Amino acid sequence: MKYLYYPGCSLKGTNRAYEESVLASFKALNIEIEELEDWNCCGATAYMSIDEMKSFALAARNLALAERQGPDSPTLMAPCSGCYLVLSKTQHYLEEYSEVSRTIDSALQAARLSYARKVQVRHPLDILINEIGLQSIAQKVRQPLKGLKVACYYGCQIVRPYAAFDDQVNPTTMDRLMRALGAETVEWPLKTRCCGGSLMGTLPEVGVPLSYILLKEALKRGADVVATACPLCQFNLECYQDKMSKRFKEHLELPVVYFTQLLGLALEVPERQLGLHRLLIPLTLPTARGGARAYA
Amino acid sequence: MNEWQSWPRFRYEAELDLKFPEEVASMPGGRALFACIQCGTCSGTCPLATYMDYSPRKIIAMTRAGFKEEVLHSFTIWLCASCYACAVECPRKIKITDFMAELKQRAIQEGVDPKRFPVAVLAREFFEAVRKRGRSTESRLVLRLYAKTNPLKILSQARLGLRLLRAGRFSLRAESVKDRQQIDQLLRAVDAAKATAFVDKLAREVRREVARA
C-alpha cells in the first residue's frame, strides 16, 4: 500500500526535521510514501479567519490532486496538525453542507479540477498504530529507548474537533508507540492543551506563558524529552525556551523533538537523516551501555 | 478621566443591531448559536480566556442580543488560537471556534479589524502570500509581520534567527506552487460563486416582497 504524503509549508521550512524524520523512519519500516505533486498551502487557520470558503477551496485542490495522482481511493498523509485539521474539516464540510459542496465543486471546475470525495486524510500516528501496528514496529526496534522518559504532546488539532483515530480528551496513540520503542511515558494531563499556536509570534506576552506551563508540568513529572506531532508545537516549545527562561527567571532546558525522530532513533536510522542536528536543545539519550549519547 | 468613571457604558436597546444574530447564524451550522444555554463551559475551557476582553460565553450572548459593534471590535475574536477545546466541550455542540472565525471574517468585511494588531496583520499577510504563490514561507511571513507591526522586534529575535540559520532552519527563498494560475482561477471562482449566491438570495427576497405586495 502506497501513501500519498502532504508536507505542507512548515515541513519544507523551519520544521524540515519533521519531514526528514517522517521520510527516514517510514523508509526504515518499509512504508512506501510519495509526495503529492504541486500541492498548495492548506490555508491554515489564517484563511478561515479571512475567507472560510477559500480555505475549503485551497484544501479541496489538494484533495483533487491526490485523487488524480494516487491509487483509487488514496490515503493522504498529513503530518502537520494544522494541515491535518484543515483537510479533514474541508471533507466534513463538503459532506455536511450542500452549499459548501456546490460552491467548491464549481470553483474546482473553473480551475480544471474535480473531486469525487474518495480521499482519506490520515495522520502518520494513525497510520503507524492502526495500519502498521505496534507489534510489527516493536519487532523492528534495534536500539530500544531504554530509560528515556517521554512526555507525549499531541497538541490540539490532531484530536480536536474530529478525533478520527484517538480519544479527544486523553489520546494514547503516541504514548503506546513510545512504549513499544522501549521508552517510558510520563503521565501528563496537558497533552492536548494549546501551546499558543501562532500567538507565540504575534503576541508573545500571551504565547510564552502558555508554552511555559506545558514544559514546567512535563519537568515536574520527570520528563527527559517532550515528543510532538506538530511543527508549530515543536517550534514554540523548543525555540522560545530562552524567552520563557527570561520571563519566568529560571533556566529552562528541555529537549523537544518530533515523535518520528524518536521512532527513527529506535530503528537505528542515522541521526542526520532524522534532522536531529537541527535541534536547538540537544537530545541526550541514555544508551544501553549506561553512558549518555547526545544528538544535535 | 479615570477608567472606572467611563464604566459602565450604556447601550440602549434601540441601538442594537437585531439582524446581526441572524446574519452570523447563516454560517454553516450557525443556527446552533440559538441553542446556547450560557453555561460558560467554553469560557472555563478556553486557555486564552484570561486575556480576552469578553469571554467566549459573553461573545455568544452579545451576538445573540445584537451587540454587533462591541463583538466585532473585540480583541477576543483575534485571541482565539483555534484549539477547539470549547467546541469539543460545548454541551450544545456549538462550533464556537468556527464561530470566532466567522466573526473575524465579518470584522474584516466591515473594515473594523484592528489594523496594527499583530494577529490580524499576520492573517492578512498570510492570506496574500498564499493567494499569490499558493504556498507560504514562514521566514518571510514573520519578517513582514514585524515590519508592519513593530520593526524593532526583528532585533530582539535576531539571536533566534541566527541559531535557526545555523541549524539550517531559516531560508528566505520564497516557496511557490508550479501552477500559480490554477490557484488564481480557483480563488477567483470562489468569489464569483459567492457573488452569484448573493444575487440569487437577493432575487428570492425581492420576489417574496413582490408576492407579498
Side-chain angles (χ1 to χ4, degrees):
Chain A
M1 164 116 190
K2 186 171 73 182
Y3 296 95
L4 286 178
Y5 159 56
Y6 176 81
C9 306
S10 198
L11 272 71
K12 294 287 180 189
T14 317
N15 302 290
R16 58 186 54 190
Y18 196 10
E19 165 164 90
E20 290 162 340
S21 59
V22 166
L23 297 182
S25 57
F26 272 55
K27 197 173 163 208
L29 289 169
N30 293 320
I31 310 171
E32 205 188 332
I33 53 180
E34 181 183 293
E35 186 171 324
L36 182 67
E37 277 164 37
D38 208 35
W39 56 270
N40 58 267
C41 168
C42 71
T45 41
Y47 254 74
M48 290 181 203
S49 325
I50 297 205
D51 191 328
E52 194 176 44
M53 201 58 94
K54 285 184 182 156
S55 139
F56 296 142
L58 285 172
R61 177 176 180 268
N62 292 313
L63 298 170
L65 293 180
E67 251 175 19
R68 191 187 278 178
Q69 181 182 338
D72 199 32
S73 309
T75 297
L76 187 61
M77 177 176 85
C80 166
S81 301
C83 306
Y84 176 76
L85 168 80
V86 175
L87 295 170
S88 312
K89 181 178 173 181
T90 301
Q91 293 203 305
H92 274 88
Y93 273 63
L94 285 174
E95 190 156 314
E96 279 170 47
Y97 304 106
S98 56
E99 181 196 329
V100 175
S101 183
R102 267 198 310 276
T103 311
I104 295 307
D105 279 335
S106 77
L108 284 175
Q109 204 186 0
R112 297 160 279 120
L113 291 164
S114 68
Y115 177 47
R117 320 288 194 261
K118 281 190 177 163
V119 178
Q120 231 193 332
V121 176
R122 298 182 74 174
H123 191 269
L125 261 180
D126 180 14
I127 293 174
L128 288 171
I129 305 288
N130 297 316
E131 289 299 321
I132 312 305
L134 287 176
Q135 232 176 351
S136 138
I137 295 171
Q139 279 167 2
K140 294 193 171 116
V141 169
R142 297 171 68 178
Q143 181 187 252
L145 306 173
K146 277 221 164 52
L148 188 71
K149 292 195 184 118
V150 186
C152 294
Y153 184 51
Y154 299 76
C156 40
Q157 297 182 341
I158 57 171
V159 286
R160 288 194 300 260
Y162 299 114
F165 68 94
D166 207 338
D167 190 81
Q168 246 164 359
V169 181
N170 183 23
T172 55
T173 41
M174 202 196 301
D175 291 75
R176 283 184 281 146
L177 175 65
M178 289 302 135
R179 288 198 291 268
L181 303 177
E184 280 175 52
T185 53
V186 298
E187 279 288 315
W188 190 42
L190 300 183
K191 51 168 86 161
T192 65
R193 194 186 152 98
C194 177
C195 69
S198 58
L199 290 172
M200 190 64 100
T202 48
L203 297 173
E205 50 276 58
V206 174
V208 166
L210 285 171
S211 277
Y212 171 77
I213 294 165
L214 299 176
L215 293 176
K216 192 76 186 167
E217 182 78 35
L219 282 168
K220 280 181 188 287
R221 287 172 186 262
D224 300 319
V225 59
V226 175
T228 62
C230 168
L232 194 53
C233 300
Q234 198 281 338
F235 190 81
N236 284 350
L237 293 179
E238 184 190 34
C239 303
Y240 283 87
Q241 287 191 27
D242 273 9
K243 305 248 182 254
M244 296 176 208
S245 298
K246 210 165 150 193
R247 167 141 179 203
F248 293 97
K249 298 186 175 57
E250 63 170 297
H251 184 65
L252 207 62
E253 203 174 325
L254 182 62
V256 182
V257 302
Y258 296 107
F259 76 98
T260 40
Q261 290 180 310
L262 294 178
L263 171 63
L265 275 179
L267 300 170
E268 251 182 356
V269 175
E271 56 175 283
R272 274 196 88 83
Q273 288 179 28
L274 296 172
L276 281 161
H277 57 293
R278 301 191 194 281
L279 289 175
L280 301 187
I281 298 168
L283 168 69
T284 314
L285 208 62
T287 63
R289 271 164 266 125
R293 247 185 103 182
Y295 295 97
Chain B
M1 192 164 70
N2 288 326
E3 211 171 299
W4 61 268
Q5 283 174 308
S6 65
W7 185 89
R9 215 179 130 210
F10 296 113
R11 211 10 143 182
Y12 295 95
E13 250 182 275
E15 297 168 353
L16 299 177
D17 184 338
L18 300 179
K19 279 198 207 124
F20 184 58
E22 282 296 332
E23 282 167 20
V24 174
S26 70
M27 67 183 252
R31 303 297 305 173
L33 187 64
F34 302 113
C36 172
I37 50 172
Q38 288 288 297
C39 67
T41 304
C42 47
S43 308
T45 333
C46 180
L48 276 318
T50 40
Y51 300 100
M52 291 173 167
D53 41 2
Y54 305 104
S55 68
R57 179 190 65 81
K58 279 189 189 164
I59 287 284
I60 291 184
M62 287 161 70
T63 302
R64 289 204 303 201
F67 287 76
K68 180 176 177 178
E69 204 186 314
E70 285 82 353
V71 169
L72 294 188
H73 278 88
S74 74
F75 285 101
T76 298
I77 57 179
W78 298 101
L79 277 165
C80 170
S82 306
C83 81
Y84 290 86
C86 54
V88 164
E89 295 295 330
C90 176
R92 303 310 296 261
K93 306 262 181 292
I94 303 171
K95 298 181 174 191
I96 303 163
T97 313
D98 301 321
F99 171 66
M100 291 289 174
E102 172 69 22
L103 294 174
K104 284 182 242 191
Q105 292 177 59
R106 288 188 177 271
I108 290 174
Q109 278 161 23
E110 304 262 334
V112 298
D113 52 314
K115 290 295 170 291
R116 292 195 53 190
F117 193 59
V119 183
V121 174
L122 181 74
R124 282 194 303 263
E125 291 297 322
F126 186 93
F127 185 85
E128 273 308 297
V130 176
R131 189 179 65 78
K132 282 187 199 142
R133 307 189 144 265
R135 289 186 192 175
S136 83
T137 310
E138 291 158 324
S139 49
R140 296 172 76 97
L141 194 63
V142 169
L143 287 177
R144 290 187 73 92
L145 168 72
Y146 292 157
K148 293 221 165 162
T149 51
N150 181 5
L152 285 176
K153 230 176 131 179
I154 294 175
L155 294 176
S156 75
Q157 295 287 51
R159 207 174 99 84
L160 176 59
L162 279 173
R163 292 178 75 195
L164 290 171
L165 190 68
R166 238 179 283 136
R169 294 172 67 171
F170 189 90
S171 153
L172 285 173
R173 197 172 63 95
E175 297 285 337
S176 173
V177 294
K178 278 185 231 133
D179 198 347
R180 279 156 76 161
Q181 198 198 354
Q182 193 172 52
I183 300 287
D184 191 55
Q185 287 166 338
L186 183 73
L187 296 179
R188 277 177 199 277
V190 173
D191 282 331
K194 274 192 187 163
T196 316
F198 180 74
V199 172
D200 284 351
K201 194 179 150 203
L202 217 61
R204 273 200 303 278
E205 273 171 29
V206 169
R207 275 200 296 276
R208 205 178 306 140
E209 287 299 314
V210 170
R212 201 177 295 161

